[in-house]
C-alpha cells in the first residue's frame, strides 16, 4: 500500500475559477415569495464562503456538487484556514462493524480481509441520524483502534511490530506512521491529536515468545509543532500483574487511561513523565462491563453495578474521576425503570460505552439496540438502530468519539518523517 | 468633576448616521466592536457623527442592538436570547444583517448570521442552493453524477 496523504479528485478543476457573473433574469420560481434569489447574489464571495464553512458535514459535501468552485474550496488554503477558525465543534461518533476482539488471535490464520471492508457508520447525536461512509482506501488486515481530532487510527492485526495508518474518514485520505518497535499481539492503543501535537501509545500484550504474551511495557510516539518528537523510543514498564484485555484507551488532560481487569482498576499513563500508575475503581467488587470514556474534560467510568449479596437494585452508573486523580464521584445513574428495560435487552451480555461532548452512547452487545444519554438535558433515550445493520449476531458495532474535520493540518508534521515504512502484510 | 479618565471614556458616546439619515447614539466602547467604526474613532473623527452609507436605518437599528447586547455586562442566557431573536428574521433580512456586519467588520455578528444562514440551508438540495444563490451549474451531467456518487453518504 502506497502511503498517500491526499486523495485525487475525480474531476479536473479549472484554476483559477472566476466567480460566475450575475445573470439578468432570476432562475427561481415565484413559488417561494419570501425568497428572492437575486438577493443572494449580492453576497460577496468571501461571505458565501463564510456561510459554506459553517455547514455541517453532510450539507457541506452536498454543497460540493453545486458547482466546481464550491467543489474546489477544500483545496484552497484560505478557505481551510477560514473553516478551521469558524467551524463549530461537532460531537459525533463513528462506528465500525467488527468481530469480537478475541477473534483477532484466530484472524492471523485467515487471509480474508477484515474490518468491515472499509465501511464506517457516522452517528450525529444531536439530530439522531446515521450515515454510511465508504472508506475504500483502507488496506486489508487492519482494524480501527482509536480516534481523535478528526482522524481514525487503524492498526495491523497481525502479531509483531504494528503498522499504523491515520485516516480522515470523510475526506478519504490516509497517512502512514512509522511502525511500532516491540512485537505485540493485541495491545491497547490510545491516540490524541491536538492542534499542535500527535501522541500515540501502545500498551501491553508484549510477545515474549511467538506464542506467549505478557503485559510488560508500553511504547509511545510523539510529534509536535515545537520540533520535539519520539518515534516509539519512549517506553515504560506497566504495573505488575495487569490485565488490559486489548481495551480502549482515552485521553484526558495529558494522561491516557485504560481499564485493568481481574480485579477492576484503572491504569493511568502520564505522557510527560512517562509513568504508569494504578487508580482504584469505585465499587470495584460490584462492577460489571466497565468502560472508560472522556466526557467534558473528565475521565468517566460507565458500568453496571450488581450487589448480589445486598438488597440493592441493579443499576448502570457513571462516575467521574476527580482532579486529585484518585477519587471518583457518581455523576449519573440510569433511572430504574429504564434500567429494567435495558436489562431485558442486554441479558447480561455486556455493553460498551463511548462519549463525546455532552453525549454518552451505550451500545448493547449482541443487539442492535443502543442508548443515548445527554448531559445537557439529563435525558436518556433509545437510539434508532443503525439502519445499515451491525450490532446483532457476529458483528458488533465498535464506536469512537469522532469529530468530522475537512483538514487536520498537524498531520503535515508526519509527512516530514522520512523513516522507511513497513509495508502491510496482506 | 471627580471623573477618572477611564469612567470619562466609558461615558463617551458616538453618533452613527444611517444611509437614510436616521441617527443613533451608542457608547463608544460598544461601538468599537465594529472594527470599521473603531478605526474612524481612533482616527479622531468622533466629534462629528459617523456616517454609515451602506446601511439603512432599519438594519442599523438591529446592528446597534447587537452591539449593545454584547457591549459588556448581562448574563450569557440573556445575550443568547436576544441573539436568537435577532436571527429569527426572514432570510432576506438576514442577508442585510450579514452585509452590514461585514461592512462594519463586526466578527461576532458575521459569525452569528452566517451560522443561521447555513442552518437554514443545511437540509436543502444542491439544486435548491443553485437557484437561491444564483449559481450556474458548470458540471456536465456525468461529472455531477461522479461527484454525487463519490459523496453518496451525504445525500
Amino acid at each position: 500500500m502506497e502511503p498517500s496523504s491526499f486523495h485525487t479528485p475525480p474531476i479536473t478543476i479549472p484554476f483559477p475559477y472566476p466567480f460566475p457573473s450575475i445573470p439578468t433574469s432570476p432562475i427561481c420560481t415565484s413559488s417561494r415569495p419570501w425568497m428572492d434569489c437575486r438577493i443572494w447574489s449580492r453576497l460577496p464571495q468571501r461571505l458565501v464562503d463564510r456561510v459554506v464553512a459553517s455547514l455541517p458535514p453532510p450539507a457541506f459535501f452536498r454543497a460540493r456538487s453545486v458547482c466546481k468552485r464550491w467543489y474546489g474550496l477544500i483545496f484552497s488554503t484560505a478557505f481551510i484556514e477560514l473553516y478551521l477558525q469558524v467551524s463549530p465543534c461537532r460531537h459525533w461518533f463513528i462506528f465500525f462493524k467488527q468481530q469480537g476482539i478475541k477473534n483477532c488471535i484466530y484472524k492471523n490464520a485467515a487471509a480474508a480481509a477484515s474490518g468491515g471492508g472499509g465501511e464506517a457508520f457516522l452517528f450525529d447525536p444531536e439530530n439522531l441520524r446515521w450515515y454510511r461512509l465508504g472508506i475504500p482506501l483502507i488496506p486489508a488486515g487492519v482494524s480501527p483502534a482509536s480516534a481523535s481530532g478528526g482522524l481514525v487510527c487503524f492498526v495491523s492485526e497481525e502479531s509483531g511490530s504494528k503498522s499504523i495508518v491515520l485516516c480522515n474518514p470523510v475526506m478519504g485520505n490516509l497517512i502512514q506512521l512509522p511502525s511500532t518497535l516491540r512485537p505485540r499481539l493485541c495491545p491497547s492503543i490510545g491516540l490524541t491529536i491536538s492542534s499542535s501535537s500527535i501522541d500515540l501509545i501502545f500498551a501491553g500484550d508484549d510477545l515474549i515468545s511467538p506464542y506467549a504474551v505478557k503485559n510488560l511495557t508500553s511504547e509511545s510516539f510523539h510529534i509536535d509543532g515545537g520540533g520535539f518528537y519520539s518515534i516509539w523510543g519512549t517506553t515504560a514498564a506497566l504495573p505488575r500483574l495487569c490485565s488490559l484485555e486489548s481495551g480502549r484507551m482515552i485521553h484526558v488532560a495529558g494522561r491516557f487511561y485504560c481499564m485493568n481487569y481481574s480485579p477492576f482498576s484503572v491504569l493511568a499513563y502520564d505522557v510527560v513523565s512517562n509513568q504508569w500508575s494504578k487508580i482504584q475503581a469505585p465499587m470495584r467488587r460490584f462492577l460489571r462491563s466497565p468502560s472508560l470514556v472522556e466526557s467534558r474534560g473528565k475521565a468517566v467510568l460507565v458500568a453496571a453495578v450488581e450487589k448480589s449479596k445486598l438488597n440493592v437494585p441493579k443499576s448502570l452508573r457513571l462516575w467521574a474521576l476527580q482532579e486529585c486523580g484518585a477519587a471518583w464521584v457518581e455523576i449519573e445513574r440510569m433511572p430504574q425503570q429504564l434500567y429494567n428495560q435495558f436489562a431485558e435487552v442486554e441479558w447480561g451480555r455486556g455493553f460498551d460505552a463511548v462519549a463525546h461532548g455532552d453525549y454518552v452512547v451505550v451500545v448493547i452487545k449482541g443487539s442492535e439496540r443502543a442508548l443515548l444519554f445527554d448531559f445537557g438535558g439529563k435525558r436518556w433515550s433509545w437510539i434508532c438502530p443503525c439502519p445499515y445493520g451491525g450490532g446483532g449476531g457476529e458483528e458488533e458495532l465498535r464506536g469512537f468519539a469522532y469529530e468530522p474535520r475537512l483538514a487536520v493540518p498537524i498531520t503535515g508534521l508526519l509527512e516530514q518523517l522520512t523513516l522507511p515504512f513497513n509495508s502491510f502484510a496482506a | 468633576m471627580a471623573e477618572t479618565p477611564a469612567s470619562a471614556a466609558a461615558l463617551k458616546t458616538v453618533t452613527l448616521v444611517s444611509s437614510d439619515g436616521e441617527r443613533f447614539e451608542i457608547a463608544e466602547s460598544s461601538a468599537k466592536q465594529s472594527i470599521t467604526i473603531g478605526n474612524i474613532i481612533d482616527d479622531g473623527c468622533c466629534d462629528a457623527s459617523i456616517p454609515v452609507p451602506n446601511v439603512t436605518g432599519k438594519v442599523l437599528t438591529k446592528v446597534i442592538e447587537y452591539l449593545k447586547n454584547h457591549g459588556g455586562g448581562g448574563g450569557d442566557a440573556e445575550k443568547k436570547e436576544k441573539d436568537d431573536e435577532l436571527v429569527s428574521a426572514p432570510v432576506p433580512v438576514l442577508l442585510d444583517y450579514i452585509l452590514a456586519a461585514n461592512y462594519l467588520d463586526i466578527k461576532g455578528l458575521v459569525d452569528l448570521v452566517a451560522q443561521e444562514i447555513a442552518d437554514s440551508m443545511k437540509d436543502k438540495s444542491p439544486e435548491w442552493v443553485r437557484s437561491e444563490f444564483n449559481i450556474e451549474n458548470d458540471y456536465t451531467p456525468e461529472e455531477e453524477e461522479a461527484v454525487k456518487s463519490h459523496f453518496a453518504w451525504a445525500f
Side-chain angles (χ1 to χ4, degrees):
Chain A
M1 190 213 83
E2 255 177 22
S4 74
S5 57
F6 224 75
H7 184 62
T8 334
I11 56 170
T12 52
I13 300 153
F15 273 100
Y17 189 72
F19 194 73
S21 58
I22 301 159
T24 47
S25 58
I27 297 169
C28 66
T29 66
S30 59
S31 59
R32 291 180 300 274
W34 56 271
M35 180 66 91
D36 181 351
C37 54
R38 286 169 299 179
I39 298 176
W40 287 100
S41 59
R42 285 165 53 204
L43 279 189
Q45 188 170 310
R46 203 182 130 256
L47 284 185
V48 172
D49 290 358
R50 176 69 191 74
V51 169
V52 173
S54 298
L55 286 173
F60 178 85
F61 285 94
R62 283 199 299 275
R64 296 184 77 198
S65 69
V66 164
C67 67
K68 292 182 180 178
R69 188 181 86 79
W70 285 27
Y71 182 91
L73 285 175
I74 55 152
F75 304 116
S76 147
T77 319
F79 177 80
I80 292 292
E81 277 175 10
L82 170 69
Y83 166 82
L84 290 173
Q85 272 174 36
V86 308
S87 178
C89 192
R90 300 185 201 276
H91 298 126
W92 285 27
F93 297 89
I94 189 168
F95 289 90
F96 299 88
K97 286 184 188 172
Q98 263 194 299
Q99 314 253 312
I101 290 292
K102 303 222 187 325
N103 290 347
C104 106
I105 302 167
Y106 305 106
K107 256 184 202 157
N108 295 329
S114 58
E119 200 181 40
F121 307 99
L122 303 186
F123 179 63
D124 171 5
E126 217 171 318
N127 299 297
L128 297 174
R129 287 188 64 171
W130 288 93
Y131 300 91
R132 175 180 23 204
L133 193 58
I135 322 174
L137 291 183
I138 297 292
V142 298
S143 289
S146 191
S148 173
L151 299 180
V152 177
C153 171
F154 287 83
V155 174
S156 58
E157 288 152 359
E158 198 169 301
S159 62
S161 163
K162 295 287 183 177
S163 310
I164 306 147
V165 156
L166 288 183
C167 168
N168 183 334
V170 288
M171 298 304 297
N173 46 6
L174 302 180
I175 189 159
Q176 193 167 1
L177 263 67
S179 302
T180 59
L181 298 176
R182 290 187 70 113
R184 297 177 191 271
L185 182 57
C186 286
S188 286
I189 298 163
L191 168 72
T192 184
I193 295 178
S194 73
S195 55
S196 57
S197 63
I198 299 175
D199 281 277
L200 258 171
I201 183 166
F202 279 58
D205 257 32
D206 303 54
L207 273 167
I208 53 177
S209 81
Y211 301 104
V213 287
K214 209 169 173 186
N215 287 316
L216 289 177
T217 67
S218 68
E219 57 196 291
S220 15
F221 172 97
H222 173 88
I223 194 165
D224 68 45
F228 292 103
Y229 63 91
S230 163
I231 320 288
W232 305 116
T234 310
T235 58
L238 289 170
R240 281 187 68 238
L241 302 174
C242 62
S243 171
L244 302 181
E245 298 205 3
S246 315
R248 260 202 299 252
M249 285 212 237
I250 57 162
H251 178 268
V252 180
R255 290 175 153 209
F256 284 101
Y257 297 88
C258 63
M259 278 311 299
N260 188 21
Y261 298 82
S262 346
F264 290 124
S265 66
V266 173
L267 296 184
Y269 171 76
D270 186 287
V271 176
V272 167
S273 66
N274 189 33
Q275 279 195 327
W276 285 90
S277 55
K278 214 184 251 196
I279 304 170
Q280 207 176 61
M283 304 184 75
R284 61 198 166 104
R285 284 196 292 276
F286 308 106
L287 294 182
R288 188 173 65 78
S289 203
S291 300
L292 274 175
V293 301
E294 186 272 322
S295 178
R296 303 166 311 155
K298 288 197 150 93
V300 170
L301 180 68
V302 183
V305 168
E306 289 170 14
K307 281 184 168 180
S308 53
K309 292 187 179 157
L310 305 171
N311 241 350
V312 172
K314 300 182 183 181
S315 56
L316 194 151
R317 306 190 196 184
L318 283 72
W319 297 264
L321 184 64
Q322 300 306 289
E323 290 272 329
C324 60
W328 300 84
V329 167
E330 188 180 308
I331 54 173
E332 180 60 32
R333 196 184 292 201
M334 190 185 283
Q336 200 55 48
Q337 212 178 10
L338 179 63
Y339 184 80
N340 296 340
Q341 286 177 24
F342 169 83
E344 265 181 49
V345 177
E346 193 235 344
W347 263 95
R349 278 185 299 237
F351 53 89
D352 209 23
V354 61
H356 198 188
D358 273 356
Y359 300 101
V360 180
V361 172
V362 178
V363 177
I364 299 176
K365 290 184 182 169
S367 152
E368 26 164 60
R369 307 292 303 274
L371 277 162
L372 177 70
F373 177 65
D374 175 4
F375 272 105
K378 287 271 181 188
R379 237 168 37 99
W380 290 90
S381 51
W382 289 100
I383 305 172
C384 52
C386 176
Y388 310 104
E394 287 275 306
E395 286 184 325
E396 300 288 346
L397 278 183
R398 191 161 192 234
F400 303 93
Y402 169 66
E403 193 201 338
R405 304 294 287 167
L406 298 183
V408 185
I410 196 70
T411 53
L413 291 178
L414 295 171
E415 287 161 29
Q416 295 165 26
L417 293 176
T418 52
L419 297 173
F421 299 144
N422 293 339
S423 58
F424 283 97
Chain B
M1 298 277 225
E3 274 178 7
T4 63
S7 64
L11 294 170
K12 220 165 169 197
T13 60
V14 291
T15 305
L16 303 179
V17 185
S18 68
S19 60
D20 44 1
E22 252 184 273
R23 302 175 73 85
F24 302 87
E25 203 171 320
I26 179 176
E28 194 178 287
S29 54
S30 295
K32 280 191 161 187
Q33 290 174 85
S34 154
I35 308 288
T36 312
I37 303 285
N39 287 339
I40 297 175
I41 294 174
D42 289 340
D43 283 345
C45 313
C46 44
D47 282 345
S49 36
I50 300 174
V52 189
N54 292 18
V55 187
T56 64
K58 207 159 152 241
V59 174
L60 195 52
T61 313
K62 287 294 182 179
V63 173
I64 300 237
E65 265 177 41
Y66 175 87
L67 292 174
K68 287 181 175 170
N69 185 21
H70 291 264
D76 283 341
E78 202 185 302
K79 286 182 183 174
K80 189 173 184 306
E81 211 184 300
K82 289 189 175 159
D83 281 348
D84 287 347
E85 210 189 299
L86 189 110
V87 295
S88 64
V91 175
V93 180
L94 286 181
L95 291 172
D96 286 334
Y97 293 167
I98 201 173
L99 285 167
N102 186 45
Y103 170 71
L104 292 169
D105 202 350
I106 307 170
K107 186 178 182 303
L109 186 54
V110 171
D111 289 350
L112 181 68
V113 181
Q115 189 62 59
E116 185 62 31
I117 296 173
D119 288 346
S120 76
M121 59 183 274
K122 69 180 178 187
D123 290 323
K124 303 288 200 280
S125 68
E127 291 73 25
W128 183 95
V129 172
R130 271 185 219 121
S131 79
E132 298 306 328
F133 278 84
N134 231 7
I135 295 175
E136 198 189 317
N137 182 3
D138 53 353
Y139 286 119
T140 67
E142 295 79 27
E143 285 171 339
E144 192 178 336
E145 209 36 60
V147 174
K148 283 185 170 173
S149 67
H150 194 61
F151 303 116
W153 70 273
F155 285 87

